[in-house]
Amino acid sequence: MRKYIIVLLLCLSMSHYLASAQPQQQQNRLTLIEQRLADLSQNVPGLNQKVETAVSNSSLQEFLKGLAATHNLNIYVDPSVNQKITGYFSDEKVINVLMYAAKQYNLDFTFTGSIISISTYNDPLANLPPPPRLIQIQYDPNSDHLTMDLQDDSLLQVAKKITQLTNKNVVLVPQLFFKKVSGYFQDMPVENVLEKLAIANSFKLNKTNDNVYVLEPLKEGEEIVTRENKNVSPNYSIKKTITRQPGSTLSNSINIESSESGKKFVNLNVVNAPIKDLIRDIAEQAGINYFMYSEITGVSTASVQNMLFNDVLTFILQGTKYTFNVDKDVYLIGDRNDEGLRKHKLIRLQHRSVDSLLAVIPQQIKGNVDIKEFKELNSFLLSGSEPEIKEIEGFVYQLDKTVPMVMIEVILMDVKKSKTIETGIKMGVSDSIVSGGTILGGLDFTFSSGDVNRFIDRIGLNNVFNIGRVTPNFYASLKALENNSNIDLRQTPKLSTLNGHAATLSIGSTRYYAASTQNVVGSLNPQTIVTQQFYPVEANLAIDIRPFVSGEEQVTLNIDINITDFIGNASITAPPPSATSKFKSIIRVKNEEMIVLGGIERNEKSDEGSGIPFLARIPVLKWLFSSRSKTTSKTVSVVFIKPSIFY
């Protein structure tokens, strides 16, 4: 005993010496480097120069090289120095900066003349093997008790140590020479310690007639069997084992362990065991009260460790037509449809609507569960067996997530540009003519007969040439007009909808045209009846967008845009002319990113003219005998779309 304590104290002293020697050696090494740098600074003035620099996440090797180049130092930096340095050095000597680097980054300095070699310091004590572990065994000869603290120790050395201390022979068969064992035993008889050591490390103990303890490995199919004792402590394991016989394929084991808090943990290893017998054996060994409402058939194969009885029972009955319920610590076991085994549970949805989830619950997991929806509570009421209710509850929980809201900004731009030129001369006779018109801003002027006659008199050169005169009802109209029109139409509707649901907007106007129908009634005295009916024609801005939010805030948009405009006026009996632009596309865009969906450009040209036949086509003369109107227009439609996600 005294020898063991001395050896233990020596080991503790050695470990304490090694633990304290390492910091002391490090301090001595840095003191020696500082002294060598101080001696070298007497001949190398650059070491005493002041440093003014700042570095951030820079290479330590490049920093030291720059320091050497700036202050005329001979420094060699080993490639193994690859750390990063961050710092600000102001009005500090180079020698102090080098010492800071040595301490902070564990550097080693060697000196050759004025050359300083810098490398990573390798502690020679770091690679030393750990001291051999002493097997901690104490023996009290007065009580014949052993105390052991084993941690992955050699079983051969443990047996040798026990034999030396107790003078009781402990031998091993060759198969256990290299086995490692662990365990802690305090103040127990030698035989009990060997027995518990064998149980804890999966080998067996035999005692010969001459009181020699023989340690042997377990044979194939053998299991450790403990004594059954009703007075065991709460942490003691009671194990019921059926040992495998030669040629047998069945090996069932049930082991119940109790924790300090009183919970029962089941260790189970069964093959094709009847479910009824399995539940009965587990419940009886664990001291659990139960009732079986119906005959339970079927077999089960399982291998579990440290599982609560509730969980074991759940897994055994899963997939069968049986279930269980707990009422005042009594387990009620039977058919899922038996009275007393059905449960009711209200599942309240947090994020989704109840009508959107009921249809997607698979029929396979509904089973015999009755599901009622209550829209007022946004909840499901489930009635059925507990396992099936839990399965539905887990499925609903996976889908009851926050649905993103998507706001879609749509900018519709129509840019219209048109140009119209009207020219021509009109002459005629009319009873009522109003003379006058506009000259500036476009020529549109009507001359009366008096105006024309005065003009003829002026070009008659004092009656030298008599061109003649026009009738009093004569008139002449001159027209030369140019109209330019630029129209910028901008519409910015905003639509909001839930993810996966369509947002629809329709804005427009309606015009009507009349259609007349004539019906002849009667044969002897036929009468014609005219009926008139008005039909609507719509010009709308129709937007239909369905967003789908995916990962990384990507939004897929199904877009359908239909733009219809009235482009002119028509008579009441004809439908009004209209122009239509359509966009239909599927795109993907990032959150709050604006894209151009498309642009359509429409060009319209019209050239109209009227005049006297043949004369209206003769060059130069056609300006006197015709009038013309030329129109050019261009319309560009552009659509911008920007989705924004809100949770």
Side-chain angles (χ1 to χ4, degrees):
M1 182 69 178
R2 183 179 302 170
K3 185 189 299 183
Y4 170 77
I5 296 175
I6 293 174
V7 173
L8 179 61
L9 291 175
L10 288 174
C11 292
L12 293 175
S13 300
M14 181 62 71
S15 61
H16 176 73
Y17 169 75
L18 293 176
S20 61
Q22 189 170 2
Q24 183 64 33
Q25 182 182 2
Q26 175 77 354
Q27 183 63 34
N28 293 339
R29 182 183 68 85
L30 294 174
T31 303
L32 181 60
I33 292 175
E34 187 174 10
Q35 183 62 41
R36 295 293 303 273
L37 286 174
D39 295 341
L40 185 62
S41 65
Q42 297 177 2
N43 299 322
V44 181
L47 290 173
N48 292 318
Q49 293 178 359
K50 297 298 181 67
V51 175
E52 189 75 30
T53 184
V55 290
S56 176
N57 198 28
S58 300
S59 170
L60 179 59
Q61 187 174 143
E62 296 298 327
F63 172 73
L64 294 174
K65 290 180 180 179
L67 203 64
T70 304
H71 300 280
N72 297 323
L73 303 177
N74 296 319
I75 294 179
Y76 166 76
V77 184
D78 190 85
S80 63
V81 180
N82 54 8
Q83 299 96 320
K84 298 293 184 180
I85 182 173
T86 298
Y88 174 67
F89 305 99
S90 176
D91 197 24
E92 192 60 61
K93 291 183 179 181
V94 175
I95 187 172
N96 293 335
V97 175
L98 292 177
M99 283 305 301
Y100 167 79
K103 294 178 182 179
Q104 187 71 18
Y105 300 100
N106 195 27
L107 302 180
D108 191 18
F109 287 36
T110 57
F111 300 87
T112 305
S114 62
I115 301 175
I116 305 174
S117 299
I118 303 176
S119 60
T120 302
Y121 175 69
N122 296 317
D123 188 0
L125 297 179
N127 298 324
L128 290 179
R133 171 180 167 80
L134 294 179
I135 299 176
Q136 300 183 22
I137 302 177
Q138 302 178 36
Y139 175 66
D140 185 358
N142 296 325
S143 61
D144 194 28
H145 283 190
L146 278 176
T147 296
M148 297 194 308
D149 186 5
L150 307 179
Q151 297 181 9
D152 202 25
D153 292 318
S154 169
L155 180 59
L156 183 62
Q157 297 299 324
V158 171
K160 181 178 179 181
K161 189 73 173 179
I162 293 175
T163 301
Q164 292 174 350
L165 293 175
T166 64
N167 292 323
K168 296 179 181 180
N169 294 315
V170 181
V171 298
L172 285 73
V173 298
Q175 292 89 333
L176 296 179
F177 281 176
F178 302 100
K179 185 174 181 61
K180 302 291 185 179
V181 292
S182 299
Y184 179 79
F185 310 94
Q186 184 171 354
D187 198 21
M188 294 179 61
V190 175
E191 186 172 344
N192 290 350
V193 169
L194 292 176
E195 181 184 7
K196 300 304 182 292
L197 184 65
I199 294 175
N201 294 276
S202 300
F203 60 88
K204 61 184 179 180
L205 172 68
N206 288 324
K207 187 177 181 181
T208 63
N209 294 331
D210 54 353
N211 294 324
V212 176
Y213 297 98
V214 182
L215 307 182
E216 300 177 355
L218 295 174
K219 296 180 181 179
E220 182 180 359
E222 288 186 335
E223 298 181 32
I224 298 297
V225 181
T226 61
R227 300 185 184 92
E228 294 191 1
N229 186 357
K230 296 182 179 180
N231 297 322
V232 296
S233 61
N235 293 324
Y236 192 87
S237 297
I238 302 175
K239 191 170 184 181
K240 179 180 178 183
T241 303
I242 302 176
T243 305
R244 179 183 298 173
Q245 302 295 332
S248 174
T249 59
L250 178 62
S251 177
N252 293 340
S253 171
I254 301 173
N255 180 23
I256 306 297
E257 295 183 359
S258 298
S259 66
E260 295 180 356
S261 61
K263 292 184 178 180
K264 306 291 185 179
F265 291 94
V266 180
N267 297 320
L268 190 65
N269 187 7
V270 296
V271 178
N272 291 330
I275 295 177
K276 179 180 179 181
D277 297 339
L278 186 59
I279 295 174
R280 183 187 65 246
D281 291 344
I282 296 175
E284 290 178 355
Q285 291 193 43
I288 295 174
N289 299 322
Y290 70 95
F291 280 97
M292 289 191 180
Y293 285 168
S294 58
E295 183 68 20
I296 297 179
T297 60
V299 297
S300 178
T301 299
S303 177
V304 297
Q305 298 292 328
N306 297 326
M307 185 177 290
L308 293 174
F309 179 72
N310 278 37
D311 299 331
V312 173
L313 198 55
T314 299
F315 286 117
I316 290 176
L317 299 179
Q318 189 170 358
T320 69
K321 63 178 182 178
Y322 309 108
T323 185
F324 72 94
N325 193 7
V326 183
D327 185 8
K328 297 180 181 179
D329 295 332
V330 177
Y331 285 79
L332 311 178
I333 306 170
D335 193 279
R336 296 177 184 267
N337 295 320
D338 288 343
E339 182 181 357
L341 297 180
R342 296 181 62 85
K343 299 193 69 174
H344 309 282
K345 187 165 186 179
L346 184 70
I347 300 178
R348 185 183 298 274
L349 301 181
Q350 302 296 326
H351 308 287
R352 303 291 299 274
S353 59
V354 64
D355 54 350
S356 64
L357 285 184
L358 183 60
V360 300
I361 299 177
Q363 187 63 36
Q364 292 82 354
I365 69 173
K366 289 182 180 179
N368 297 321
V369 179
D370 186 19
I371 304 177
K372 299 294 184 182
E373 65 176 27
F374 292 88
K375 295 183 179 180
E376 296 84 356
L377 300 176
N378 197 37
S379 303
F380 293 118
L381 179 61
L382 307 181
S383 299
S385 63
E386 184 175 8
E388 293 175 327
I389 289 178
K390 286 185 176 180
E391 188 174 9
I392 295 176
E393 185 178 8
F395 179 83
V396 172
Y397 175 77
Q398 295 295 325
L399 295 179
D400 188 20
K401 305 297 181 183
T402 302
V403 180
M405 175 77 74
V406 182
M407 184 182 72
I408 306 167
E409 299 181 52
V410 183
I411 300 177
L412 305 172
M413 296 185 63
D414 280 348
V415 181
K416 299 180 180 180
K417 295 183 178 181
S418 62
K419 180 180 179 181
T420 302
I421 299 177
E422 297 182 8
T423 59
I425 299 176
K426 291 183 179 181
M427 299 181 185
V429 177
S430 177
D431 293 337
S432 60
I433 293 297
V434 178
S435 177
T438 60
I439 297 177
L440 297 179
L443 178 61
D444 186 4
F445 201 89
T446 301
F447 297 93
S448 63
S449 59
D451 298 328
V452 175
N453 288 330
R454 283 192 294 273
F455 177 73
I456 292 174
D457 291 340
R458 288 184 179 276
I459 66 173
L461 298 178
N462 297 323
N463 296 325
V464 175
F465 299 100
N466 188 5
I467 299 177
R469 299 179 67 84
V470 297
T471 180
N473 296 332
F474 180 82
Y475 72 93
S477 295
L478 300 180
K479 180 178 288 188
L481 299 175
E482 179 176 344
N483 293 326
N484 292 310
S485 176
N486 294 327
I487 301 175
D488 186 358
L489 179 61
R490 179 185 177 97
Q491 303 180 70
T492 57
K494 294 183 179 180
L495 309 176
S496 295
T497 183
L498 287 176
N499 181 35
H501 294 264
T504 302
L505 173 67
S506 180
I507 302 174
S509 58
T510 304
R511 294 186 183 182
Y512 295 87
Y513 68 94
S516 300
T517 304
Q518 293 184 355
N519 295 318
V520 178
V521 179
S523 56
L524 297 177
N525 297 314
Q527 296 181 356
T528 301
I529 300 175
V530 179
T531 60
Q532 193 175 49
Q533 187 174 0
F534 289 88
Y535 293 94
V537 177
E538 295 183 352
N540 295 328
L541 163 64
I543 302 175
D544 190 316
I545 301 179
R546 187 186 298 270
F548 296 92
V549 179
S550 56
E552 298 181 355
E553 293 192 338
Q554 298 280 342
V555 183
T556 301
L557 299 174
N558 291 345
I559 303 172
D560 190 356
I561 299 179
N562 191 340
I563 306 173
T564 303
D565 291 328
F566 292 120
I567 58 175
N569 296 318
S571 64
I572 190 63
T573 59
S578 61
T580 301
S581 299
K582 292 184 178 182
F583 299 88
K584 191 171 185 178
S585 179
I586 300 177
I587 61 172
R588 186 175 65 182
V589 61
K590 289 184 178 180
N591 182 29
E592 296 187 353
E593 182 179 70
M594 181 172 288
I595 64 167
V596 179
L597 179 61
I600 294 180
E601 180 177 314
R602 299 192 301 270
N603 292 317
E604 299 179 6
K605 293 183 179 180
S606 64
D607 194 352
E608 300 177 356
S610 61
I612 299 175
F614 302 110
L615 296 179
R617 293 197 293 267
I618 299 175
V620 181
L621 292 179
K622 66 181 180 179
W623 298 105
L624 298 175
F625 299 100
S626 68
S627 61
R628 298 182 176 277
S629 175
K630 184 177 182 181
T631 303
T632 302
S633 65
K634 180 173 71 174
T635 303
V636 179
S637 298
V638 183
V639 179
F640 298 89
I641 294 182
K642 175 185 175 183
S644 299
I645 304 174
F646 299 95
Y647 289 94

